[in-house]
Amino acid sequence: MKILMFNAEVVDDLGGPSIVAAFCDITRANSNGDDVVIDLLTSKASDKTEKYLEKLQVGCFKYGNLFSKKNIFKVFRYIKNINKQTTPPIDDFVYENLKKLSTYDCLVDMGGICFTDNIPQRNLVRTVYEKMSWIVAKKLGLKVILYTTSIGPIRTLKTKWGSKFLMERYCDYIMFRERECEKIYNKLKICTPYIAVSYTHLTLPT
């Protein structure tokens, strides 16, 4: 099993490092003896981040500007041919990273607050762009899991529609950390399976 964490804060964050450590402990403890590879998907990583990941036996997948606006059209063009017997581009950063990404089994998004219009800078367009990793992962055949997250408040119709669309189409499983999220989930009639969980860093010693 190859797992790719995303949106995980591993340094200079009050709860992030413990959530990551708890996730790694839980995943390995429930692997039934199978080999588990856990990496962090990040655009860049500081020396402090890499040292902490090394302590957790977690690798680092640096994707750089893979999801930048200038590369996004190339990303979707290459996805169509990533598993076909075609001649791959030579030394192409986008193609090589997509090929590497396709070797994983699932993407685990650890973003805290994922869908809300209560924060001024979080509009629908930005939300969709931030979830580009979901869309790419799904098109490459990976499962997408939303881990210990919060959604809401959601007030506008476009944010409600966008949240429902992204969670239903590009997410396979949701783990809510607050009961209030369940009410929003039910109100939006989202079909993606979910479970309500507590903060793992508060319930599991690390």
Side-chain angles (χ1 to χ4, degrees):
M1 171 72 74
K2 292 186 69 176
I3 300 170
L4 201 54
M5 298 185 296
F6 184 59
N7 277 336
E9 298 294 336
V10 296
V11 294
D12 301 324
D13 184 85
L14 291 176
S18 295
I19 290 176
V20 171
F23 171 78
C24 294
D25 287 346
I26 292 171
T27 302
R28 289 170 180 144
N30 290 278
S31 65
N32 296 319
D34 296 333
D35 290 335
V36 176
V37 175
I38 304 176
D39 293 333
L40 173 67
L41 181 66
T42 180
S43 59
K44 57 184 178 180
S46 65
D47 291 341
K48 191 175 179 180
T49 295
E50 292 193 359
K51 286 181 180 178
Y52 184 74
L53 293 176
E54 185 178 354
K55 181 180 178 182
L56 297 177
Q57 296 182 320
V58 171
C60 195
F61 182 159
K62 299 177 186 177
Y63 65 86
N65 63 347
L66 179 64
F67 300 124
S68 67
K69 293 177 182 178
K70 73 173 185 177
N71 282 330
I72 203 63
F73 291 108
K74 185 185 286 188
V75 165
F76 286 104
R77 188 171 74 248
Y78 283 170
I79 283 176
K80 292 181 179 180
N81 300 317
I82 204 76
N83 292 317
K84 295 180 180 179
Q85 297 298 320
T86 56
T87 304
I90 300 174
D91 297 328
D92 188 289
F93 165 82
V94 173
Y95 184 88
E96 293 300 326
N97 275 274
L98 288 176
K99 192 69 176 177
K100 182 178 178 181
L101 187 57
S102 70
T103 65
Y104 289 85
D105 296 293
C106 68
L107 177 74
V108 180
D109 190 336
M110 296 184 169
I113 301 174
C114 284
F115 299 100
T116 183
D117 49 23
N118 204 39
I119 302 174
Q121 63 268 30
R122 283 188 173 272
N123 55 50
L124 180 59
V125 174
R126 178 172 177 176
T127 298
V128 172
Y129 182 73
E130 287 177 346
K131 297 307 175 189
M132 194 59 64
S133 59
W134 289 17
I135 299 171
V136 172
K138 286 296 291 180
K139 288 188 174 295
L140 289 173
L142 281 70
K143 297 290 185 182
V144 175
I145 299 171
L146 195 50
Y147 183 79
T148 59
T149 191
S150 293
I151 60 172
I154 300 175
R155 298 185 176 88
T156 64
L157 182 61
K158 64 181 181 180
T159 304
K160 291 176 181 178
W161 177 87
S163 302
K164 177 179 172 67
F165 174 77
L166 286 168
M167 282 189 277
E168 285 189 341
R169 184 155 185 173
Y170 297 108
C171 187
D172 296 283
Y173 198 77
I174 304 170
M175 301 175 73
F176 290 132
R177 66 189 184 194
E178 297 160 357
R179 290 289 180 181
E180 191 65 29
C181 298
E182 290 184 80
K183 297 178 182 178
I184 299 172
Y185 172 96
N186 291 326
K187 191 173 183 179
L188 294 179
K189 298 180 180 180
I190 297 169
C191 299
T192 304
Y194 82 96
I195 187 173
V197 297
S198 58
Y199 279 101
T200 51
H201 71 288
L202 295 179
T203 57
L204 182 71
T206 58

